[in-house]
Amino acid sequence: MNFDADFEECHHVNNMESKINDYFAVPHLSWEQQDRIACADARLREKNYPKAIETLWNMYEALHRREQSSTVGRYVLIRIAHINIYNEDYIAARDNLSFIMQFPNTIGNPLLHLRLGQVQDKLGNEKRAVDELARAFIMDGKRVFDLEDRRLLEIPLRALNEPMDSDWNHYEGQDWEVTK
């Protein structure tokens, strides 16, 4: 048994959960919805990505149409997109993230722009990756890049002609809390 690999996988899953909760308001979920999230998380930890995604899609599809485009639907879909990334299904991740961007009060969420930039980079769409990663950086600075591949931060810094040690003190940022 490879404990280092298991620890690393657990760390990534916990990082995903923590980042989602930092950048997206956790909606009020029914007991059944909480159980489905817990089931998907268990399947994710088992690396059973297709079952985790299936569980979450079933949850999304069970929502009323109005709820699908609400914070509950967005919360479920961002979790699906993260699993797509773990499963290296970057096309599905891009499609899910792009769909989420159509939800009210979503454009401008730093984590969403980070993930969309990350998958655009993986798909070789350099201009789109730079655009999305720069948006994430401008919205939240280096914080959104914490615990991420350092190369992702280098992309917008290079495009914005900023040194790696820049902290953007001159930039006051903006209030992206509405996108949470």
Side-chain angles (χ1 to χ4, degrees):
M1 178 172 246
N2 187 345
F3 291 108
D4 289 337
D6 289 344
F7 175 79
E8 187 68 24
E9 183 66 25
C10 185
H11 174 73
H12 286 298
V13 171
N14 290 339
N15 179 33
M16 175 196 81
E17 184 74 26
S18 175
K19 276 212 166 172
I20 289 173
N21 291 340
D22 283 350
Y23 289 92
F24 288 89
V26 179
H28 175 72
L29 301 172
S30 70
W31 287 106
E32 179 185 344
Q33 291 169 332
Q34 290 175 31
D35 285 346
R36 287 186 183 204
I37 294 285
C39 180
D41 287 348
R43 290 176 171 162
L44 177 58
R45 284 183 172 81
E46 296 166 356
K47 298 182 185 179
N48 191 342
Y49 304 125
K51 280 293 191 184
I53 290 171
E54 179 184 348
T55 299
L56 292 171
W57 270 119
N58 289 340
M59 179 180 170
Y60 180 78
E61 290 169 356
L63 295 172
H64 296 287
R65 185 163 178 79
R66 166 179 98 258
E67 289 178 308
Q68 287 181 338
S69 62
S70 72
T71 57
V72 175
R74 184 175 65 177
Y75 184 74
V76 173
L77 290 174
I78 190 66
R79 295 175 75 86
I80 291 171
H82 269 93
I83 297 169
N84 293 143
I85 292 168
Y86 285 127
N87 197 31
E88 298 180 5
D89 188 350
Y90 302 116
I91 292 173
R94 180 201 58 208
D95 293 347
N96 288 321
L97 292 165
S98 296
F99 180 62
I100 297 167
M101 285 289 198
Q102 298 174 33
F103 286 32
N105 298 321
T106 301
I107 292 177
N109 184 292
L111 180 60
L112 210 46
H113 289 288
L114 170 71
R115 291 295 176 240
L116 196 49
Q118 178 184 15
V119 297
Q120 293 290 4
D121 180 58
K122 291 288 188 181
L123 293 171
N125 300 327
E126 184 178 337
K127 287 177 79 174
R128 293 295 316 221
V130 168
D131 180 64
E132 295 296 342
L133 293 170
R135 288 172 190 248
F137 181 73
I138 289 168
M139 299 293 162
D140 199 33
K142 289 182 181 178
R143 185 177 90 96
V144 72
F145 291 89
D146 286 350
L147 304 174
E148 301 292 334
D149 180 351
R150 183 168 173 81
R151 194 178 67 73
L152 290 176
L153 176 59
E154 292 170 357
I155 293 170
L157 290 178
R158 192 171 43 251
L160 297 168
N161 296 317
E162 291 291 325
M164 278 301 287
D165 61 354
S166 171
D167 60 6
W168 267 52
N169 284 332
H170 62 281
Y171 180 72
E172 295 178 14
Q174 67 183 48
D175 182 12
W176 57 266
E177 286 293 320
V178 72
T179 69
K180 198 170 183 182

